[in-house]
Structure formats: C-alpha cells, structure tokens
Amino acid sequence: MMNLMHWRLLVAVTDHGSITAAAAQVGMTQSAASQAMAGMEAALGAQLFTRESRQTLPTALGLKVIEQARVMLGALQIIRSTVNDARPQLRGTIRLASFPMVLAAFLPPILRRFNQLYPGIEVTALEVSDDEVNTLLEADLVDLGVVLNPGPERNATLLGRDNWVAVLPMGHVLSRRSAHETVSFEELAAQPFVLATGGCTVNARSLAAEAGLVLRDVRVEVREWSSAFSLVREGVGVSLMPEMTLPAQRQGLRIMALSVPIHREFALVGSSTRAPSAAANALLQMMAD
C-alpha cells in the first residue's frame, strides 16, 4: 500500500542517490526504506531504481514516475498553503483565566478538542479565583475568562451548570428524612456550619445574603472542598456545596436537595474593552457549534 511518505521517499532517493540519506530525510530507518521501495515496485509491477554498490539510481521509467510524484507532492503543498492563507485565524494564542474547579473538570476535554481542530493556536490557561478572572478581563490581560452566573450583557458562552446541595453528616437530625425529602436553606443556615468557598466569592455565605439569610454559626471556613467534606463527616457542621464538587466516596455524608433549588452557571466571556481575537472567536465558535 502506497502512501505520501513512500512517494516522498522515492523523490528523496532520487535527489540523494542513497537510500540511507533518503531514509534519514523522511524519518525512516534504512531497512524500512528499502522494504518500502521494494513494496512500491512490486505494487506497480515495474523496476524504478537500479542498485549499485554506492548509488541507487532511477531507471528511465522511474524518472517519469518520480516526475509525476513531484507534481503530486507540489500540488499537495499548494493546497495546504492555500487553506492556511485563507484561514489566518487558525494561528495565534489565547490567554484564558479560570477558577480551579472548572479548569480541572470542564476545560481539559474542550481544550483537547480545540487543539485537534486548531493545532496552530496555543492556549495558555491561568488558574485564579473567580473575582480575579473579572479583574484580569477588565485589565485586558486575558482574552477569555470563566465567570459564574454571567448576566445577559456579558454575551457569554455557556460551559455548564450545576445545583447547590446540602451536605450533612450521617446521623444529623435533618439527614434522618426520607430519600425523597428536601431541606430548606433556612434550616441549613440555622445549623453549625462548615463554610467552603473553593476560592470563589460565590459561596454559601453570599448565597445566604442574597436570600436574606445569615449563617448564624460558622464553625470553620475552608477553601478546599475536600477539607469541608472531611469536617462534615466528623460532625463539625453542615454545609452547602456545588453538586459537581461531591466526592465519589460519600460514606458518612448525606446529600440532600434544597427545597427551593439554587443553581449556578459558568461560562466563557471575553474582554469588555475589545472584541475577541480571531483565535478566541475560533474557540467560542467551536463551543457554540
């Protein structure tokens, strides 16, 4: 079976007069190159080269075949150049800021797919808090940022959404309810509380304030979600956390839905001071599609 590397090999052998030198040029071993040449001659049913002690020279038929191979390879290069010249947005860089959880959970598969589609665009991801994302966007230091609960004025591209859920230690009075029962935010706010922020300004305290509530007894405040789960297991208090942060192993925990659901959205937005670059638009368009 003949492929482009085989045709490049034949041209290189003609140019160098040596299978060894030609193999090195196209990235093959000498033995693999010899086998490939023999396979092509067998497939075509004709001898393309003569092998002498120090040189490998094309036959008269080989010269005609290789002339057409040069035309074919040249046409392929022209096609590639034409496509690249017509799509300049396929080259460039994107500076993207995100808070840790989304950067770890949502962005990797998106960025892998984007790299496959646009290998000429380099994406640099910065891990920051959610309020730092907005600061970087306003200062025009990044091209795109992941923000929480964007308003309609942000022209955002949705990445995902999840619900806030109550997390209680097993044996807590509220966790004794049946599997289908819920718990109110008011009930949670009145309990000893483990406040987890995840490095975000949107957390149980800010959500309580929006609902006109106060967390009456915050026993401990932590940044890491994993630390909060451990503290809840130990009975330090109850908590309110995003659903996507829940651990795979939930022994010792009771997860309950809120009676009035609260959800959050995270989305990509661009700088408010300038239009997205061609590279950033390519990423936004891929996600929109």
Side-chain angles (χ1 to χ4, degrees):
M1 182 177 177
M2 293 175 284
N3 58 38
L4 285 174
M5 179 168 284
H6 291 153
W7 292 114
R8 292 191 181 101
L9 173 65
L10 294 190
V11 171
V13 171
T14 304
D15 292 341
H16 291 281
S18 163
I19 295 177
T20 302
Q25 179 179 320
V26 300
M28 299 175 71
T29 64
Q30 193 275 338
S31 59
S34 296
Q35 293 175 9
M37 288 178 59
M40 290 188 72
E41 288 181 323
L44 292 171
Q47 184 177 357
L48 302 180
F49 291 88
T50 59
R51 282 79 169 173
E52 299 182 0
S53 58
R54 295 185 178 181
Q55 279 190 310
T56 301
L57 302 174
T59 63
L61 177 60
L63 285 172
K64 294 180 180 179
V65 170
I66 291 160
E67 180 182 357
Q68 295 304 312
R70 291 186 193 276
V71 172
M72 176 183 65
L73 294 172
L76 177 61
Q77 185 58 47
I78 291 172
I79 290 171
R80 286 177 172 165
S81 297
T82 300
V83 172
N84 288 337
D85 291 343
R87 302 197 314 185
Q89 74 275 12
L90 298 185
R91 295 186 181 89
T93 59
I94 300 173
R95 297 160 299 172
L96 188 155
S98 173
F99 46 96
M101 185 170 53
V102 171
L103 191 59
F106 274 83
L107 287 178
I110 292 172
L111 296 182
R112 281 196 296 270
R113 180 184 169 212
F114 184 68
N115 181 252
Q116 292 172 348
L117 294 174
Y118 302 99
I121 298 178
E122 180 181 358
V123 180
T124 301
L126 305 175
E127 183 178 297
V128 296
S129 64
D130 60 336
D131 57 337
E132 289 173 329
V133 171
N134 285 308
T135 299
L136 291 170
L137 284 169
E138 291 170 4
D140 204 20
L141 294 175
V142 295
D143 301 292
L144 298 171
V146 177
V147 298
L148 283 173
N149 302 326
E153 75 283 356
R154 298 298 294 268
N155 192 25
T157 300
L158 185 66
L159 278 170
R161 62 184 293 171
D162 65 353
N163 291 315
W164 291 86
V165 293
V167 182
L168 306 98
M170 293 298 294
H172 189 280
V173 62
L174 295 176
S175 69
R176 296 172 189 166
R177 297 177 181 178
S178 67
H180 301 294
E181 286 188 276
T182 60
V183 61
S184 70
F185 200 170
E186 290 84 353
E187 290 173 303
L188 280 182
Q191 301 297 316
F193 208 91
V194 175
L195 176 61
T197 67
C200 297
T201 55
V202 179
N203 53 59
R205 178 179 281 142
S206 67
L207 293 173
E210 289 179 11
L213 301 172
V214 175
L215 302 181
R216 298 181 185 175
D217 184 11
V218 176
R219 296 292 174 92
V220 63
E221 179 176 340
V222 295
R223 177 186 176 94
E224 300 299 328
W225 304 108
S226 58
S227 300
F229 289 120
S230 297
L231 291 167
V232 172
R233 280 193 180 95
E234 293 171 8
V236 175
V238 303
S239 193
L240 183 73
M241 304 193 208
E243 198 169 19
M244 68 178 291
T245 67
L246 295 177
Q249 302 299 324
R250 302 178 187 177
Q251 293 89 342
L253 299 175
R254 172 73 193 277
I255 312 301
M256 299 181 69
L258 294 178
S259 53
V260 178
I262 303 174
H263 74 269
R264 63 176 193 162
E265 294 182 340
F266 24 96
L268 270 180
V269 301
S271 168
S272 60
T273 61
R274 63 180 174 86
S277 66
N281 263 331
L283 176 57
L284 295 173
Q285 186 60 53
M286 183 200 78
M287 294 176 59
D289 292 342

